[in-house]
């Protein structure tokens, strides 16, 4: 999307307030509901809907009503938020022409108040030319869900941090000025991309300088991973400057050697094709095999001494630690391959082992307590024995009482059988009266909306039941 900064002049404070409200809502919404935008913006007299209509006209927001009425920021709206913040900070006061386009970013010229020209890089991840960000870059980390705007912000923060650290350690990189959201402001390199250069006065010196930078980065614990003619700037004096740092990884990464060899191979290929730099390759066939000899020795990743610095640890560059890498290599050597079902069984076995371990620890701890406090344990055992004896005596007494009551009941039954039929009839009549009285005390559960039946069938039936119970 083309950046038209002229629209920025006509946006009011309410417009930026609504844009900020949509940005805040996108933290946990793919499409921010219109009610949430109104609630966050808190504009008076329902002015939020008018502002939303204005922002849609300038394509700063995208409206979608397929599932519900919602809005989301576009890259142009995100650009305006970042530019407005940097202008308020006084980083620059004007935006100029576009000087570069890449698969992940756009670069513009910006001017400070004193006329100094800077470079503004706007990260734009998610283009159709480069959408395999999750597999090619490590911006996400452990996250599963992501948004292109959020990924662009992570890439900008990472590049700004690497640029600052490399500048402090003397690497030829642009001067990092400021960063906000997905925007990075840096000094403008007075030079040309190496891919646009057709001739060099000293190509061998430039080649050695570039290869030295690759080795020097590895000595500090970092690998560029995209070190080619597109990310190397060279000026009229043939001074080299590195650019583009978001994809840098640590030398402890599991694929560090592959990335290092790929960067070196890109430089060798480019200089051999573009500048006809002869490496004096001689192929001698010995027993059917070819032996190559070169004037310039290729740097070997394993022979680089990685003790100059620890920038990968300071900047938390992506990559596994040495301990993790050793465990993975050991796992591969053993050739253990488990399915999901076997993984579940392994976790269950681990749980059992941990339980057994805990039980053994508890038993050992109890045995230690028994050894340390024998007198106390004996007292406790005596007390428990006395309690058991009392309980047995109480049980015997309870058993005797139950036997006495059962004998009495049998005698009562025998006497009851001996009574005449008239006495049994009276007892049954009293029992029925008691049951009817109990049922009469219960209240029926009725709903609130049910009306009271006055003089109807229900009242007539209740009267009959009372009369029967009185009999």
């Amino acid at each position: 999307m083309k950046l038209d900064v002229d629209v920025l002049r006509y946006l009011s404070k309410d417009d930026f307030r609504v844009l900020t409200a949509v940005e805040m809502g996108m933290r946990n919404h793919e499409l921010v509901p219109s009610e949430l935008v109104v609630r966050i913006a808190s504009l008076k007299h329902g002015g939020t809907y008018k502002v939303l209509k204005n922002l849609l006209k300038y394509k700063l927001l995208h409206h979608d009503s397929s599932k519900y009425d919602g809005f989301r920021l576009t890259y142009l709206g995100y650009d305006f938020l970042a530019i407005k913040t940097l202008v308020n900070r006084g980083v620059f006061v004007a935006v100029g022409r576009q000087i570069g386009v890449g698969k992940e970013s756009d670069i513009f010229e910006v001017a400070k108040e004193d006329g100094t020209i800077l470079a503004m890089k706007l990260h734009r991840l998610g283009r159709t030319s480069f959408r395999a960000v999750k597999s090619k870059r490590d911006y996400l980390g452990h996250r599963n869900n992501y948004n292109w705007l959020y990924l662009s912000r992570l890439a900008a923060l990472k590049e700004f941090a690497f640029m600052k650290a490399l500048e402090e350690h003397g690497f030829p990189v642009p001067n990092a000025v400021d960063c906000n959201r997905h925007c990075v402001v840096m000094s403008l390199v007075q030079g040309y991309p190496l891919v646009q250069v057709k001739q060099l006065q000293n190509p061998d010196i430039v080649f050695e300088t570039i290869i030295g930078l690759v080795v020097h980065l590895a000595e500090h614990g970092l690998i560029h991973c995209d070190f080619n003619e597109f990310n190397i700037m060279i000026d009229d004096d043939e001074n080299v400057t590195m650019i583009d740092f978001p994809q840098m990884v640590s030398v402890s990464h599991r694929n560090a050697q592959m990335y290092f060899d790929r960067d070196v191979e890109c430089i060798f290929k480019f200089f051999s094709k573009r500048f006809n730099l002869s490496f004096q390759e001689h192929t001698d066939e010995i027993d059917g095999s070819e032996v190559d000899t070169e004037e310039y020795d290729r740097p070997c990743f394993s022979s680089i001494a990685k003790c100059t610095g620890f920038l990968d640890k300071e900047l938390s560059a992506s990559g596994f630690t040495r301990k993790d890498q050793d465990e993975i290599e050991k796992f591969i050597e053993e050739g253990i391959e488990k399915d999901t079902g076997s993984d579940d069984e392994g976790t269950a076995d681990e749980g059992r082992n941990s339980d057994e371990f805990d039980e053994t620890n508890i038993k050992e701890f109890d045995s230690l307590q028994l050894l340390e406090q024998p007198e106390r344990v004996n007292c406790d055992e005596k007390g428990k024995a006395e309690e058991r004896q009392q309980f047995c005596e109480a049980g015997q007494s309870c058993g005797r009482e139950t036997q006495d009551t059962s004998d009495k009941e049998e005698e009562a039954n025998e006497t009851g059988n001996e009574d005449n039929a008239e006495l049994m009839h009276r007892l049954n009549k009293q029992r029925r009266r008691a049951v009817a009285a109990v049922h009469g005390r219960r209240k029926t559960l009725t709903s609130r909306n049910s009306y009271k039946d006055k003089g109807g069938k229900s009242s007539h039936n209740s009267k009959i039941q009372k009369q029967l119970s009185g009999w």
Side-chain angles (χ1 to χ4, degrees):
M1 185 178 291
K2 185 178 179 181
L3 178 63
D4 188 7
V5 192
D6 294 335
V7 180
L8 192 63
R9 303 175 183 175
Y10 305 104
L11 296 180
S12 62
K13 292 183 179 180
D14 293 342
D15 295 332
F16 283 103
R17 190 179 182 89
V18 174
L19 281 176
T20 307
V22 176
E23 181 189 14
M24 293 174 65
M26 287 183 68
R27 292 180 180 178
N28 49 12
H29 289 82
E30 185 178 357
L31 286 174
V32 186
S34 56
E35 296 82 3
L36 184 59
V37 177
V38 173
R39 198 183 312 156
I40 296 175
S42 299
L43 296 181
K44 296 181 180 179
H45 308 296
T48 305
Y49 292 99
K50 183 180 179 181
V51 173
L52 288 172
K53 185 178 179 180
N54 187 32
L55 296 176
L56 287 172
K57 182 178 68 173
Y58 293 121
K59 298 181 180 180
L60 304 182
L61 293 178
H62 175 74
H63 177 253
D64 190 357
S65 59
S66 58
K67 296 181 179 179
Y68 55 87
D69 190 23
F71 298 87
R72 64 174 176 84
L73 276 174
T74 61
Y75 263 117
L76 189 58
Y78 208 46
D79 295 341
F80 280 14
L81 285 173
I83 292 172
K84 180 66 174 178
T85 303
L86 293 172
V87 169
N88 292 337
R89 292 179 185 175
V91 179
F92 56 85
V93 295
V95 179
R97 63 188 180 92
Q98 187 175 1
I99 59 176
V101 180
K103 63 181 184 296
E104 300 180 60
S105 61
D106 292 338
I107 304 172
F108 296 86
E109 286 183 347
V110 293
K112 297 177 67 176
E113 192 173 0
D114 57 357
T116 306
I117 304 298
L118 301 175
M120 179 182 66
K121 184 175 182 179
L122 298 173
H123 288 262
R124 300 193 187 282
L125 299 181
R127 287 175 170 170
T128 54
S129 60
F130 187 71
R131 287 200 170 186
V133 178
K134 190 172 182 180
S135 59
K136 302 292 185 182
R137 300 287 186 265
D138 61 341
Y139 305 144
L140 284 175
H142 60 278
R143 307 173 189 88
N144 294 323
N145 300 322
Y146 59 92
N147 186 348
W148 292 120
L149 298 180
Y150 181 65
L151 282 181
S152 301
R153 177 178 173 273
L154 293 179
L157 291 175
K158 190 173 183 180
E159 182 172 18
F160 183 77
F162 278 119
M163 205 183 306
K164 273 284 188 184
L166 293 175
E167 182 185 2
E168 292 175 357
H169 286 77
F171 285 90
V173 297
N175 180 23
V177 179
D178 202 350
C179 176
N180 182 261
R181 293 179 175 87
H182 68 311
C183 176
V184 181
V185 181
M186 65 191 80
S187 61
L188 183 63
V189 179
Q190 300 298 329
Y192 313 95
L194 187 59
V195 69
Q196 298 178 4
V197 178
K198 303 299 181 181
Q199 292 181 355
L200 287 174
Q201 295 180 357
N202 301 308
D204 52 349
I205 296 176
V206 176
F207 172 77
E208 292 178 356
T209 303
I210 294 173
I211 294 295
L213 287 175
V214 177
V215 176
H216 197 37
L217 279 172
E219 290 176 350
H220 282 76
L222 294 173
I223 298 175
H224 193 280
C225 296
D226 197 12
F227 203 73
N228 50 39
E229 61 273 15
F230 297 95
N231 294 326
I232 298 173
M233 303 289 292
I234 188 167
D235 58 4
D236 296 333
D237 298 331
E238 297 185 353
N239 295 321
V240 177
T241 305
M242 298 185 300
I243 59 174
D244 196 11
F245 310 103
Q247 69 284 337
M248 295 185 77
V249 299
S250 170
V251 292
S252 300
H253 197 278
R254 57 180 177 179
N255 298 325
Q257 185 172 359
M258 185 269 290
Y259 290 139
F260 180 84
D261 295 339
R262 187 179 67 179
D263 290 347
V264 173
E265 184 65 23
C266 287
I267 301 302
F268 269 82
K269 280 186 177 181
F270 176 75
F271 274 86
S272 62
K273 291 181 180 180
R274 177 64 59 87
F275 303 107
N276 296 323
L277 194 62
S278 61
F279 299 118
Q280 296 183 2
E281 296 185 359
H282 301 286
T283 59
D284 299 332
E285 294 185 358
I286 299 176
D287 298 334
S289 61
E290 294 182 356
V291 179
D292 296 339
T293 59
E294 298 180 356
E295 181 181 358
Y296 298 98
D297 295 333
R298 291 176 181 267
C300 182
F301 179 75
S302 58
S303 63
I304 295 175
K306 308 172 187 65
C307 58
T308 306
F310 300 97
L311 287 178
D312 53 344
K313 295 182 180 179
E314 294 177 4
L315 300 173
S316 299
S318 64
F320 294 156
T321 60
R322 288 295 182 186
K323 183 178 178 181
D324 296 335
Q325 192 166 355
D326 293 339
E327 291 179 356
I328 292 173
E329 291 176 357
K330 184 179 178 181
F331 181 79
I332 294 172
E333 290 175 359
E334 292 176 356
I336 299 174
E337 295 180 355
K338 295 182 179 180
D339 296 330
T340 56
S342 61
D343 291 338
D344 297 336
E345 293 177 358
T347 53
D349 294 338
E350 291 177 358
R352 293 170 188 169
N353 295 332
S354 61
D355 294 337
E356 293 174 1
F357 179 74
D358 293 336
E359 290 177 359
T360 54
N361 288 339
I362 292 169
K363 290 179 181 178
E364 292 177 358
F365 183 73
D366 292 340
S367 62
L368 289 174
Q369 285 186 343
L370 290 170
L371 292 173
E372 292 176 357
Q373 299 177 354
E375 297 178 359
R376 184 176 179 181
V377 171
N378 293 331
C379 294
D380 294 338
E381 290 179 354
K382 291 179 181 179
K384 291 179 180 178
E386 292 177 356
E387 290 178 357
R388 290 175 182 172
Q389 187 175 1
Q390 292 176 0
F391 181 77
C392 292
E393 293 176 357
Q396 292 176 0
S397 61
C398 291
R400 292 171 184 171
E401 291 176 359
T402 52
Q403 289 178 0
D404 295 339
T405 54
S406 61
D407 294 339
K408 291 179 181 179
E409 289 177 356
E410 289 177 358
E411 292 177 357
N413 292 329
E414 290 176 357
T415 55
N417 293 327
E418 293 176 356
D419 292 337
N420 53 6
E422 186 178 359
L423 181 60
M424 292 298 294
H425 180 70
R426 291 178 181 177
L427 290 174
N428 292 330
K429 189 176 181 180
Q430 290 178 359
R431 186 179 63 183
R432 285 196 297 269
R433 286 180 181 178
V435 172
V438 171
H439 286 292
R441 290 175 185 174
R442 293 181 181 178
K443 296 181 180 180
T444 57
L445 298 175
T446 56
S447 62
R448 297 178 181 177
N449 298 327
S450 63
Y451 61 92
K452 294 182 180 179
D453 188 7
K454 296 182 179 180
K457 294 182 180 180
S458 61
S459 59
H460 181 67
N461 294 333
S462 62
K463 290 179 181 179
I464 294 172
Q465 289 178 359
K466 288 181 180 180
Q467 290 177 1
L468 291 174
S469 61
W471 293 346

